[in-house]
């Protein structure tokens, strides 16, 4: 079975940093895309960032460009989302999601596999 395990959430003050990790098991790491999404209370789930295994497909939401960096460690089957200069509006539950093949999409519907979510809280 494909499983995604998100970790690294927490509470920080505005301007701080957090790194989220998504560890993947159960499918080949050669042809995949891993996306990060977030959902704030009362809002729809939105795309944050994505990276494909071949490096040719990626994106950042406008709201996080210049502050977030997505990277992957294929040896550890883990994708990271480094979040810097955090703002209160970044507060949400963050989910990692996986899809085959290796192409990023911003739509929730395009991802078949989901992790359990990690809470990120940014205080002002």
């Amino acid at each position: 079975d494909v499983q995604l395990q998100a970790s690294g959430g927490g509470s920080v003050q505005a301007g701080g940093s957090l790194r989220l990790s998504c560890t993947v098991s159960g499918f080949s790491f050669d042809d995949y895309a891993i996306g990060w999404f977030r959902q704030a209370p009362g809002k729809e789930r939105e795309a944050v960032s994505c990276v494909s295994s071949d490096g040719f497909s990626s994106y950042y939401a406008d709201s996080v460009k210049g502050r977030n960096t997505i990277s992957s460690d294929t040896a550890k089957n883990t994708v990271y989302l480094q979040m810097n200069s955090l703002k209160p509006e970044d507060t949400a539950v963050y989910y990692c999601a996986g899809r085959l093949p290796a192409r990023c999409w911003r739509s929730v519907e395009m991802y078949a596999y989901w992790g359990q979510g990690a809470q990120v809280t940014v205080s002002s």
Side-chain angles (χ1 to χ4, degrees):
D1 290 344
V2 175
Q3 292 188 337
L4 288 82
Q5 180 76 31
S7 61
S11 297
V12 297
Q13 290 190 329
S17 298
L18 284 172
R19 188 178 77 162
L20 301 179
S21 300
C22 179
T23 302
V24 183
S25 62
F27 67 77
S28 169
F29 229 55
D30 296 333
D31 186 20
Y32 72 96
I34 299 294
W36 284 99
F37 293 78
R38 67 187 181 185
Q39 188 166 18
K43 295 187 177 181
E44 293 186 354
R45 194 168 297 189
E46 63 175 355
V48 177
S49 186
C50 177
V51 65
S52 64
S53 58
D54 57 12
F56 288 110
S57 182
S58 66
Y59 67 73
Y60 293 95
D62 289 343
S63 59
V64 304
K65 279 181 182 178
R67 300 188 297 121
N68 287 10
T69 302
I70 191 168
S71 61
S72 61
D73 185 337
T74 53
K76 295 182 178 180
N77 281 2
T78 301
V79 174
Y80 303 98
L81 183 67
Q82 177 68 42
M83 304 185 295
N84 299 324
S85 301
L86 282 161
K87 304 175 181 180
E89 50 264 44
D90 294 317
T91 295
V93 177
Y94 284 70
Y95 299 89
C96 62
R99 70 177 308 277
L100 305 171
R103 181 178 176 184
C104 287
W105 291 84
R106 298 176 188 260
S107 299
V108 169
E109 295 77 12
M110 297 303 291
Y111 293 78
Y113 309 101
W114 290 84
Q116 82 286 6
Q119 177 69 48
V120 171
T121 303
V122 184
S123 57
S124 57

